[in-house]
């Protein structure tokens, strides 16, 4: 980031108060928190905003179901979000609620300004409305004339008087914006779909509702009590009302924002409506709208109704908050979807955090204690290790821009390369041999090299794992702040003489048995989930879960011949199968069917295989597919062709 930009404004979406937080919400908030902490450390005047979105029919309906007033209900859920972020030590500067008075005043002022400019007019609307997505759709967009194209739920026809925003007037300006600012939408790959959407033509946007009253009223001057503001108009404005737009404007100096972080589900609102509103308000535009992917569970979108939600608090309590933060930021490239698995989390803890980071600190403690009574001086480090220091500085310098380009997983990868320099140097130079041969000065320089590398990496990791880095800093006798960032990172300086303090292991190893338990639990859901889903679909309506034929064809189904089968020791449910699906090599598939089939009985039989499933590791073994089965109270049956088919035959 250039030095001229001294103010940084970072936002999360404001979360709907119709549901409690899950790891998806935690993900966005943790990325934003990392960016905010890093910006502060690097010396930028930073404002980090999060909050809750509390108006609209969806919230009013959720409250009604619970026999609560919308405000009562919003207070309760908003409080839960805030408590969670406080538990997670999220460093927000402001938590906005759209029911806050200053917000409502700001939204009304914005409406008035857009109206005075001629960008808002009154008309009539008739359209297909999805309450869940709070969005209108044209007939052509609907699935089978009724279903919402975003969530699949049935839409209803809403006919009402409405105020409209002249979105159609902004088509060309928006296209010019995307063209002239190729990094406005991040990752850049996502811009294409937005550009195509705008090119297809924008309709004016209905921005008020008369069918319910749980929303911000229009400004008094409109003299129109029937209407409340469309929830997305109300919600998007939070990014400026939180800075005091229309009320106490002193924090508007943080505008335009650096980055609005959003999930890909709400990119369209942020990359089309929001810049158009801002243009209408004659306000400058933010640098980036950065859209991340979805966290799924066993390949499916997480939602309460599916019962597959991962509670972030439970995970952070079980594995440690910083390990959870590291995992979320490291595991999935920004913009891509990721499947949440405890096994992957444990692997990261044992390998990246325990072996690479934690163990390096142990080695510093061990070597400095054994050879130098914990006292380390860096006076000769440049004499003996300029090359390693240069390599480390180069990697760090190149890693930094990745942060604001939202390539945070790559940023972490680069920092781990710096740790490798340190771990490798110990093996290459063998300080124990140096000590034996009386080359104490060189051994000290080597220990100092490790301390210097660890200190620099710690500074760069502070925003990712603040609690653990505080412990490392204490052990190294350094401080992590803007002064040390400048001295050790920007000016590439050397750590002052220091005394190392012994501390407990930072990331104790998670034992294999625990990992195995988590794997089996996960494996069991492979069998259990489809059954539960099937039952649910029977009891609710299938209309809730309509998919298109194209979505169906995304799943590749083939006939497989089971060539070998054996039991997985210590697992109640798993069998390990080698399955011929017509490829050069057989696939190894772990199937949770041990209670229903013996290994021998399966050899030579056929089954229907999902063959384009992302490979997963179960109990340390690769599983490259899934067998289809049906289960009821009488047991489980694999789905097989009626007569034998050539292995690899497509099922459609
Ligand atoms: O959309 N994976 O609120 P919301 C990753 N109020 N991120 C996820 C996720 C998942 N499975 N599920 C949710 C709204 N998120 C509006 C926003 S802003 C002016 C108004 C995250 O409660 C992700 O950031 O439905 C997504 O954009 C946001 O939660 C949606 O939260």
């Amino acid at each position: 980031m250039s030095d001229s930009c001294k103010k940084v404004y970072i936002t999360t979406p404001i979360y709907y108060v119709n549901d409690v937080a899950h790891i998806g919400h935690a993900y966005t908030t943790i990325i934003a928190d990392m960016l905010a902490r890093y910006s502060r450390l690097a010396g930028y005047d930073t404002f980090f905003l999060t909050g809750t979105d509390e108006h609209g029919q969806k919230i009013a309906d959720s409250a009604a179901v619970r026999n609560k007033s919308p405000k009562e209900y919003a207070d309760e859920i908003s409080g839960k979000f805030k408590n969670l972020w406080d538990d997670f030590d999220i460093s927000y500067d402001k938590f906005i609620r759209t029911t806050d008075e200053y917000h409502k005043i700001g939204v009304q002022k914005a409406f008035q300004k857009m109206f005075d400019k001629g960008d808002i007019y009154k008309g009539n609307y008739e359209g297909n409305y999805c309450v869940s997505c709070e969005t209108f759709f044209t007939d052509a967009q609907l699935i089978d004339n009724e279903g919402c194209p975003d969530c699949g739920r049935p839409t209803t026809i809403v006919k009402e008087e409405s105020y409209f925003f002249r979105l159609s007037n902004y088509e060309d300006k928006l296209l010019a914006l995307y063209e002239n600012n190729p990094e406005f939408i991040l990752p850049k790959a996502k811009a294409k779909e937005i550009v195509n959407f705008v090119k297809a033509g924008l309709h004016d946007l209905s921005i008020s509702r008369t069918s319910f009253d749980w929303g911000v009223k229009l400004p008094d001057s409109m003299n129109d009590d029937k209407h409340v503001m469309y929830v997305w108009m109300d919600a998007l404005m939070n990014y400026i009302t939180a800075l005091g737009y229309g009320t106490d404007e002193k924090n508007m100096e943080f505008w335009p924002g650096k980055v609005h972080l959003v999930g890909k589900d709400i990119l369209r609102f942020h990359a089309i409506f929001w810049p158009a509103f801002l243009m209408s308000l004659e306000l400058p535009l933010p640098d980036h709208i950065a859209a991340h992917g979805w966290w799924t569970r066993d390949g499916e979108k997480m939602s309460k109704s599916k019962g597959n939600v991962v509670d972030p608090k439970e995970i952070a309590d079980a594995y440690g908050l910083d390990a959870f933060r590291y995992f979320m930021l490291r595991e999935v490239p920004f913009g891509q979807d990721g499947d949440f698995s405890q096994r992957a989390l444990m692997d990261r803890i044992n390998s990246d955090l325990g072996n690479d980071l934690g163990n390096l600190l142990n080695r510093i403690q061990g070597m400095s204690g054994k050879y130098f009574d914990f006292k380390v001086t860096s006076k000769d480090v440049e004499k003996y290790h300029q090359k390693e220091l240069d390599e480390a500085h180069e990697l760090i310098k190149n890693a930094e821009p990745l942060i604001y380009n939202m390539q945070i997983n790559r940023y972490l990868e680069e920092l781990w390369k710096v740790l490798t320099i340190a771990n490798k140097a110990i093996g290459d130079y063998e300080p124990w041999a140096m000590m034996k041969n009386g080359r104490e000065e060189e051994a000290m320089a080597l220990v100092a090299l490790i301390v210097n590398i660890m200190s620099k990496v710690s500074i760069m990791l502070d925003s990712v794992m603040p609690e653990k880095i505080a412990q490392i800093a204490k052990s190294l006798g350094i401080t992590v702040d803007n002064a040390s960032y400048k001295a050790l990172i920007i000016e590439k300086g050397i750590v002052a003489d220091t005394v190392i303090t012994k501390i407990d292991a930072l990331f104790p190893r998670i034992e294999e048995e625990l990992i195995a338990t988590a794997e089996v639990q996960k494996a069991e859901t492979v069998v259990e989930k489809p059954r539960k889903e099937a039952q649910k679909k029977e009891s609710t309506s299938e209309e809730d879960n309509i998919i298109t034929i194209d979505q169906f064809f995304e799943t590749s189904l083939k006939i497989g011949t089971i060539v070998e089968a054996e039991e997985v020791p210590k697992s109640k449910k798993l069998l390990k199968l080698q399955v011929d699906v017509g490829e050069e090599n057989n696939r190894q598939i772990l199937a949770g069917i041990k209670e229903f089939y013996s290994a021998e009985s399966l050899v030579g039989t056929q089954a229907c295989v999902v063959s384009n499933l992302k490979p997963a590791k179960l109990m340390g073994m690769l599983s490259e597919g899934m067998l289809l089965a049906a289960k009821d109270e009488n047991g489980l049956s694999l789905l097989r062709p009626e007569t034998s088919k050539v292995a690899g035959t497509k099922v459609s």
Side-chain angles (χ1 to χ4, degrees), residues 583-625:
E583 297 165 345
E584 195 179 344
N585 297 316
N586 293 334
R587 297 271 190 113
Q588 173 163 295
I589 295 179
L590 291 151
I593 54 175
K594 191 168 167 182
E595 291 162 289
F596 309 98
Y597 290 94
S598 68
E600 315 80 74
S601 70
L602 287 172
V603 177
T605 66
Q606 294 196 307
C608 185
V609 178
V610 182
S611 62
N612 62 342
L613 203 60
K614 190 170 162 202
K617 270 196 166 176
L618 304 176
M619 299 198 71
M621 287 167 292
L622 194 66
S623 182
E624 305 166 295

Side-chain angles (χ1 to χ4, degrees), residues 170-202:
Y170 286 88
E171 237 172 75
D172 293 343
K173 292 191 188 92
L174 287 169
L175 290 172
L177 163 73
Y178 311 138
E179 168 105 26
N180 300 331
N181 301 276
E183 296 196 345
F184 179 66
I185 297 167
L186 289 177
K188 286 187 202 168
K190 293 237 192 288
K192 212 165 173 194
E193 98 204 23
I194 296 295
V195 170
N196 288 342
F197 191 91
V198 175
K199 277 190 176 154
L202 295 176

Side-chain angles (χ1 to χ4, degrees), residues 123-172:
N124 281 300
Y125 196 88
E126 180 169 356
N128 312 291
Y129 193 64
C130 173
V131 174
S132 178
C133 301
E134 301 278 15
T135 308
F136 277 106
F137 295 99
T138 62
D139 288 349
Q141 288 173 309
L142 297 187
I143 301 167
D144 290 342
N145 300 324
E146 192 195 31
C148 166
D150 282 348
C151 73
R153 293 184 175 83
T155 54
T156 46
I157 292 182
V158 171
K159 186 174 181 179
E160 54 186 50
E161 183 185 271
S162 173
Y163 286 84
F164 287 85
F165 173 71
R166 291 188 199 279
L167 188 62
S168 55
N169 274 1
Y170 286 88
E171 237 172 75
D172 293 343

Side-chain angles (χ1 to χ4, degrees), residues 24-208:
H25 304 107
Y27 180 52
T28 324
T29 308
I30 288 170
I31 301 173
D33 186 57
M34 185 255 164
L35 292 176
R37 284 173 183 270
Y38 180 78
S39 303
R40 290 187 199 109
L41 184 75
Y44 299 107
D45 196 6
T46 304
F47 196 100
F48 168 19
L49 174 72
T50 190
T52 43
D53 188 356
E54 307 185 6
H55 289 130
Q57 193 176 348
K58 180 157 66 170
I59 311 295
D61 290 352
S62 293
V65 169
R66 291 163 180 85
N67 272 331
K68 294 194 171 150
S69 74
K71 181 63 169 58
E72 239 182 322
Y73 180 61
D75 285 347
E76 182 186 320
I77 307 287
S78 177
K80 286 190 177 163
F81 270 97
K82 191 159 184 294
N83 287 343
L84 179 67
W85 304 149
D86 289 341
D87 272 355
F88 276 14
D89 204 16
I90 297 297
S91 64
Y92 60 82
D93 294 289
K94 190 173 180 85
F95 187 99
I96 190 173
R97 299 184 54 186
T98 53
T99 48
D100 288 339
E101 216 41 47
Y102 66 86
H103 169 75
K104 295 194 236 169
I105 295 170
V107 177
Q108 287 170 338
K109 291 247 171 91
F111 187 101
Q112 187 71 54
K113 171 139 197 197
M114 290 150 95
F115 183 82
D116 292 345
K117 216 178 151 194
D119 273 343
I120 291 178
Y121 64 93
K122 195 170 175 178
N124 281 300
Y125 196 88
E126 180 169 356
N128 312 291
Y129 193 64
C130 173
V131 174
S132 178
C133 301
E134 301 278 15
T135 308
F136 277 106
F137 295 99
T138 62
D139 288 349
Q141 288 173 309
L142 297 187
I143 301 167
D144 290 342
N145 300 324
E146 192 195 31
C148 166
D150 282 348
C151 73
R153 293 184 175 83
T155 54
T156 46
I157 292 182
V158 171
K159 186 174 181 179
E160 54 186 50
E161 183 185 271
S162 173
Y163 286 84
F164 287 85
F165 173 71
R166 291 188 199 279
L167 188 62
S168 55
N169 274 1
Y170 286 88
E171 237 172 75
D172 293 343
K173 292 191 188 92
L174 287 169
L175 290 172
L177 163 73
Y178 311 138
E179 168 105 26
N180 300 331
N181 301 276
E183 296 196 345
F184 179 66
I185 297 167
L186 289 177
K188 286 187 202 168
K190 293 237 192 288
K192 212 165 173 194
E193 98 204 23
I194 296 295
V195 170
N196 288 342
F197 191 91
V198 175
K199 277 190 176 154
L202 295 176
H203 297 284
D204 288 349
L205 182 70
S206 160
I207 51 163
S208 74

Side-chain angles (χ1 to χ4, degrees), residues 470-583:
Q471 292 175 33
I472 296 180
K474 192 170 147 230
S475 170
L476 296 176
I478 61 161
T479 45
V480 174
D481 55 17
N482 179 245
S484 59
Y485 168 81
K486 274 196 190 137
L488 295 181
I489 304 295
I490 303 294
E491 287 153 19
K492 304 180 180 167
I494 292 301
V495 174
D497 293 355
T498 186
V499 179
I500 306 296
T501 310
K502 277 199 92 146
I503 58 169
D504 290 342
L506 285 172
F507 301 101
R509 202 175 164 73
I510 297 172
E511 292 309 328
E512 271 302 310
E513 300 91 78
L514 195 56
I515 297 180
T517 318
E519 276 170 344
V520 172
Q521 280 167 356
K522 185 167 189 279
E524 285 170 358
T525 66
V526 173
V527 177
E528 288 292 301
K529 272 200 77 230
R531 186 173 63 89
K532 283 194 190 139
E533 283 298 298
Q535 283 174 346
K536 190 146 37 75
K537 272 187 208 147
E538 277 159 23
S539 59
T540 58
S541 106
E542 285 197 339
E543 286 159 18
D544 286 351
N545 225 337
I546 297 285
I547 61 167
T548 64
I549 188 81
D550 290 340
Q551 283 170 318
F552 174 73
F553 281 126
E554 281 173 17
T555 312
S556 170
L557 299 174
K558 287 181 183 165
I559 298 301
T561 305
I562 300 169
V563 187
E564 286 173 35
E566 60 182 282
E567 296 191 350
V568 172
K570 287 203 215 141
S571 167
K572 279 203 311 241
K573 299 208 166 184
L574 290 180
L575 290 180
K576 184 164 89 174
L577 313 172
Q578 305 300 328
V579 184
D580 178 2
V581 287
E583 297 165 345

